[in-house]
């Protein structure tokens, strides 16, 4: 696999410290995956792969809106290939959230329905793109807590992530001062040079958690390209 393809990899999960991995799905396993626009379009490539070992997790991540138009039918199709579905749910409630609780409540209700339909053994990543306003660390912490409770309430074995988390260690400290650690199963960071500093901060703020490095949508949209990543 060339370097271009490697940059398309969605998540290489690295353990921050030895042991203490709180995600039962990821403990002791090698994990990577792809982020795609349409999961159905890559099913053939995944099916052609010989299968995944007991110590492997391959994620297929895609974005699911919270505007009532979500279709999670692809979840079962991805599961049947042996891959692990990872849903990126996008919140658009304006900031500050205290002034827009109605909008947030509607999106949380939609999230609950999506997760119930998707079922257990699902990874859900909350992404916040407020349609207006500038979020604070306290806003973000509130969203993380509310979304995490909704996800695990709708599917007890679901795993919750949020982000990409801020890469600035100072902002991370403010976020973790709001006691979000207990709500996050996986930590998501953007693939930037600042991620190294963020990881170092997280070894102190949230030790033992697996870290997923987010990425761009796979450039080669062919099903075979996804199969090649899966076979890597």
């Amino acid at each position: 696999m060339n370097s271009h393809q490697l940059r398309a990899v969605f998540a290489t999960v690295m353990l921050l410290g030895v042991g203490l991995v709180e995600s039962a799905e990821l403990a002791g396993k090698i994990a990577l995956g792809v982020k795609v626009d349409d999961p159905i379009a890559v099913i053939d490539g995944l099916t052609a792969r010989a299968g995944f070992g007991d110590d492997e997790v391959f994620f297929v991540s895609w974005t699911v809106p919270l505007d009532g138009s979500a279709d999670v039918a692809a979840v079962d199709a991805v599961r049947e290939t042996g891959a692990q579905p990872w849903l990126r749910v996008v919140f658009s409630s304006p900031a500050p959230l205290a002034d827009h609780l109605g909008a947030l409540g509607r999106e949380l209700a939609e999230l609950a329905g999506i997760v119930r339909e998707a079922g257990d053994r699902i990874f859900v990543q909350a992404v916040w793109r407020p349609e207006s306003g500038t979020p604070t660390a306290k806003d973000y912490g509130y969203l993380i807590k509310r979304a995490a409770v909704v996800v695990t309430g709708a599917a007890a074995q679901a795993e919750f992530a949020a982000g990409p988390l801020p890469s600035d260690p100072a902002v991370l400290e403010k976020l973790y001062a709001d006691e979000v650690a207990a709500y996050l199963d996986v930590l998501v960071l953007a693939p930037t040079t600042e991620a190294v500093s963020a990881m170092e901060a997280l070894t102190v703020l949230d030790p033992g958690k697996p870290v997923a490095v987010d990425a761009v949508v796979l450039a080669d949209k062919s099903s075979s390209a996804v199969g090649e990543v899966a076979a890597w």
Side-chain angles (χ1 to χ4, degrees):
M1 177 179 297
N2 61 36
S3 61
H4 174 74
Q5 289 172 310
L6 284 175
R7 284 196 294 272
V9 170
F10 154 65
T12 300
V13 175
M14 297 156 286
L15 305 185
L16 295 181
V18 179
L20 301 177
V21 180
E22 298 182 21
S23 170
E25 287 292 321
L26 298 180
K29 297 181 180 180
I30 301 168
L32 70 158
V34 291
K35 181 165 68 177
V36 297
D37 287 321
D38 180 6
I40 295 299
V42 304
I43 293 299
D44 288 346
L46 290 171
T47 303
R49 206 249 193 212
F52 299 98
D54 292 338
D55 62 345
E56 298 175 317
V57 178
F58 187 79
F59 293 105
V60 176
S61 170
W62 67 98
T63 299
V64 177
L66 293 174
D67 59 4
S69 64
D71 181 3
V72 296
V75 169
D76 287 338
V78 170
R79 281 198 184 110
E80 288 173 3
T81 70
Q84 170 66 58
W86 179 300
L87 305 182
R88 301 175 80 253
V89 294
V90 180
F91 287 83
S92 60
S93 297
L97 288 176
D99 295 339
H100 301 92
L101 293 179
L104 177 61
R106 288 188 290 274
E107 291 187 319
L108 290 170
E110 180 69 14
L111 174 60
I114 289 170
V115 176
R116 278 195 297 268
E117 187 176 351
D120 277 329
R121 299 175 64 85
I122 191 80
F123 281 69
V124 179
Q125 174 187 350
V127 181
W128 189 20
R129 298 172 184 159
E131 60 184 24
S132 63
T134 302
T136 64
K138 192 168 187 65
D139 278 322
Y140 198 25
Y142 183 75
L143 176 66
I144 287 173
K145 292 177 181 179
R146 291 290 306 274
V149 169
V150 166
V151 168
T152 54
Q157 295 183 32
E159 304 271 358
F160 180 75
L165 295 173
S167 57
D168 184 338
V171 178
L172 280 172
E173 287 183 11
K174 289 181 181 179
L175 177 62
Y176 272 82
D178 210 23
E179 301 181 340
V180 300
Y183 297 85
L184 295 167
D185 298 303
V186 181
L187 311 178
V188 181
L189 295 175
T192 64
T193 55
E194 291 81 9
V196 175
S197 297
M199 284 192 212
E200 291 175 352
L202 289 168
T203 61
V204 177
L205 295 169
D206 207 346
K209 292 278 181 71
V211 175
V213 180
D214 208 349
V216 298
V217 173
L218 189 67
D220 185 345
K221 300 181 183 299
S222 68
S223 181
S224 60
V226 173
E228 290 174 10
V229 175
W232 180 60

